[in-house]
Amino acid sequence: MVRFVDLLLSQAVKSRASDVHIEPQEHSTVVRMRIDGVLRNMVPPAKKMQAAVVARIKIIARMDIAERRLPQDGRFKMKVSGRDIDVRVSVIPTIYGEKVVMRILDASAVKHDLDQLGLESERLEEFKSMLSRPHGIVIVTGPTGSGKSTTLYSALSYLRDPTKNITTVEDPVEYRLAGVNQIQVRAEIKLDFAKCLRAILRQDPDIVLIGEIRDKETADIAIKASLTGHLVLSTFHTNDAPSAISRLLYMEIERYLLASALNVVIAQRLVRKICSHCKEPVTLSEEVLKRLGIDRERSADAVFYRGQGCTACGGSGYSGRLPIFEFLVIDSDISERIIAGDSEAQIRAAARQKGYGGLLESGIKKALQGLTTAEEIISVAFTGKV
């Protein structure tokens, strides 16, 4: 049992898995690993071993092994090939037993370097310019697992300076950063984002990172903090950059405050990279080109690629992931539009006129560089809003 769990975890780290799922079924147990954002089936244990495997994981994650009716959370550290791995564990009861999901956080595998994020040089300089401002809010938006935390940690690494007081409030703290004061939200003792933020503002901060703006109270404090001389970094869950403004307005934030506080909104997604070992050119169908919004004239010069599938990438044709971005810089024009009550569509159109493309355009650029496939861009970035 101990050997099986150890082998499972070491295999997950070697396969670059971000999550391991152990799912009980009626007559079997399913083990799946999320590699490059996609779940893949692994060799499962026998059904009779299921309870013992779950119990072993609960013991090392310091959970209550007698409690099988309620969800539980835990974490533990392990060493694989000389690397320290942090594992977050979540257990929920299902009708066939307890399902376990282990989130694997390999600090050594993630490089928090702004220059290595994958931003185009023009956007990178723009982002650095926004981070160098003494106050305002920088928001990174996207669904769960889109790399928002990595972008924000990279921004913090860039901003880290002995002359600055940097404090974060997160749920949970994923990576430890030297020289940064990190606070863990704890719901069981009513230590939430709003309570932490109010305390942080009495600690003479220069830069504040809020793990996520979840409610009106947190949004209010973040706006006020940014208007009183603090740089605030945070994340949001919206489909694209302009919709983050709509969401904040829906939280009843005053338009004039929002226009004054916001510096930039960045939407991002992660797309799978083509495996370099089995990369080959491919001809796209008219239908795919139409969905990408590429006309015949442009497609004549364009070369797209795909992965054929080989042993190096496990037959998937992909190896690793890279981010695509959409920028919405809140300049004087966009600020005036927010105050005037322009719709989300009007703000999006104004951003496009200024040369800020959407996620789809960013994805197409990566596909034309031979880094990802057209199918991957359509599945990840296509929202019907170009």
Side-chain angles (χ1 to χ4, degrees), residues 305-327:
Y305 295 86
R306 66 160 191 171
Q308 197 174 0
C310 63
T311 51
C313 60
S316 68
Y318 297 98
S319 179
R321 290 193 291 176
L322 59 94
I324 55 173
F325 299 94
E326 174 190 12
F327 267 62

Side-chain angles (χ1 to χ4, degrees), residues 260-310:
S260 303
L262 274 180
N263 286 354
V264 63
V265 182
I266 302 169
Q268 77 174 75
R269 297 285 189 285
L270 289 176
V271 293
R272 289 183 290 171
K273 284 166 70 176
I274 299 171
C275 173
S276 57
H277 295 90
C278 58
K279 185 173 166 182
E280 61 176 14
V282 64
T283 306
L284 300 184
S285 66
E286 287 285 330
E287 185 192 346
V288 172
L289 288 169
K290 191 177 176 184
R291 288 191 74 184
L292 289 171
I294 298 173
D295 54 34
R296 281 186 183 177
E297 195 178 316
R298 191 180 170 194
S299 68
D301 304 323
V303 181
F304 290 90
Y305 295 86
R306 66 160 191 171
Q308 197 174 0
C310 63

